[in-house]
Amino acid sequence: HILLALLSKANRHDVDMISNTRYCLDEFHERSVDTDVLVATLSSKMKEIDENFPLQVLMMSATPDPRVLHCFGKVNTLELPDSQLFPIDDINIEVDTKSKVNGEVLRQTFGVIKRFTDESVEKGHILIFTSGNARIKDIQNGINDQCESQCRNDKYIIKVIKDFESMVKDISVKQFYFKLNKFIKKSEKNCPKNKKMLFILPIRYHSSVSNEQKEIGRNPIPGHDNVIKIVIATNAIESSITITNLAAV
């Protein structure tokens, strides 16, 4: 926001901020109106400069958006060595028909949660990309209806927080965390001493949900590492979301 304002002010006063300044755009895949205007401004200005001019813009992202790179024309790509990246297990699954997609998504999601409760992998959050609000709701309903029975074991009791959207309605993020903290403490009081509790928080993430809901979806749940967020998002926002402590996509 500040950089865009400075460029606008410089343009109004005919000050050259392009040829005398270097720019670093971190996490440039996180798209917004401001970042798109900034990219458009920088790329159009750079095209006016001689091709042999030194590096002007450094863009950094783990998931670069080729549409943004295309705005700048010729872009030199610098990749980090594999040793610097987190190890990733790719699991390729095919289904016969579209009607089976949501069921397979649920099966894979419950499989990840079972690995958390088996303590065979470190716990983290889950991100599900799908197409359209109808699929999002169907997957969310499947988690609400089946997760507790499908994923519990001798060590863990699974508790799905099914009324998240009513809990967060018309309140601030801080107030929601206070509500959530009370809910978790009350649930844990009724938990047998020989068991642990794992809370599952399904969160719909698309353009029409509130900013508070999006903020909770992106950021860590303070004070509770036994809350697993399952963020269910439309694939249209794939290039504009970063979730802290993500374990599976």
Side-chain angles (χ1 to χ4, degrees):
H1 303 287
I2 296 173
L3 180 55
L4 185 59
L6 286 173
L7 282 171
S8 299
K9 187 174 182 180
N11 190 52
R12 289 196 303 271
H13 294 278
D14 200 26
V15 176
D16 181 9
M17 281 189 63
I18 300 298
S19 59
N20 296 299
T21 310
R22 303 294 184 265
Y23 298 91
C24 177
L25 307 182
D26 192 16
E27 304 289 1
F28 72 90
H29 63 275
E30 296 186 351
R31 303 279 299 281
S32 69
V33 173
D34 287 330
T35 57
D36 281 359
V37 172
L38 178 60
V39 166
T41 302
L42 288 175
S43 60
S44 61
K45 289 288 186 182
M46 286 184 67
K47 289 174 183 176
E48 300 172 4
I49 299 174
D50 186 270
E51 290 184 357
N52 295 320
F53 199 84
L55 172 69
Q56 288 289 303
V57 178
L58 174 65
M59 296 178 287
M60 298 187 293
S61 171
T63 56
D65 188 337
R67 294 169 296 182
V68 175
L69 299 178
H70 182 72
C71 293
F72 289 90
K74 185 180 178 181
V75 176
N76 294 325
T77 303
L78 304 174
E79 295 188 4
L80 294 175
D82 291 343
S83 59
Q84 301 296 318
L85 303 177
F86 288 102
I88 297 173
D89 294 330
D90 289 328
I91 302 173
N92 298 313
I93 302 293
E94 294 184 6
V95 294
D96 299 331
T97 63
K98 288 183 179 180
S99 62
K100 296 181 180 179
V101 169
N102 290 357
E104 183 59 35
V105 168
L106 290 172
R107 191 179 75 83
Q108 293 291 328
T109 301
F110 297 157
V112 172
I113 295 172
K114 288 175 184 177
R115 293 179 70 183
F116 295 158
T117 58
D118 291 340
E119 299 180 350
S120 58
V121 296
E122 187 175 348
K123 290 190 288 292
H125 305 298
I126 299 171
L127 174 60
I128 299 172
F129 284 122
T130 188
S131 55
N133 197 36
R135 283 190 181 274
I136 288 179
K137 286 183 177 179
D138 189 50
I139 292 169
Q140 183 182 29
N141 289 337
I143 294 170
N144 289 342
D145 296 339
Q146 303 173 41
C147 186
E148 292 181 358
S149 60
Q150 291 283 334
C151 300
R152 65 189 177 194
N153 63 13
D154 294 337
K155 292 182 180 179
Y156 279 87
I157 292 175
I158 307 297
K159 181 69 175 176
V160 178
I161 303 170
K162 300 177 181 180
D163 55 349
F164 164 68
E165 292 186 21
S166 63
M167 289 174 68
V168 77
K169 187 177 180 181
D170 299 326
I171 62 173
S172 68
V173 173
K174 186 176 181 180
Q175 289 171 320
F176 165 75
Y177 288 143
F178 179 77
K179 270 189 179 182
L180 180 65
N181 188 55
K182 288 180 64 177
F183 175 87
I184 289 174
K185 285 185 176 180
K186 182 178 179 180
S187 300
E188 288 178 333
K189 281 184 179 179
N190 299 321
C191 180
K193 291 184 178 180
N194 63 335
K195 299 249 186 183
K196 301 177 183 178
M197 289 202 74
L198 190 66
F199 295 88
I200 305 298
L201 179 59
I203 300 176
R204 295 190 302 136
Y205 195 113
H206 54 79
S207 58
S208 63
V209 302
S210 67
N211 289 330
E212 289 78 12
Q213 188 162 325
K214 291 177 182 177
E215 183 177 339
I216 294 164
R218 290 192 303 265
N219 296 319
I221 301 292
H224 296 290
D225 58 2
N226 62 338
V227 177
I228 304 298
K229 292 182 297 186
I230 302 180
V231 179
I232 316 164
T234 55
N235 51 18
I237 63 164
E238 181 172 357
S239 62
S240 63
I241 181 171
T242 299
I243 298 175
T244 304
N245 193 26
L246 195 64
V249 179

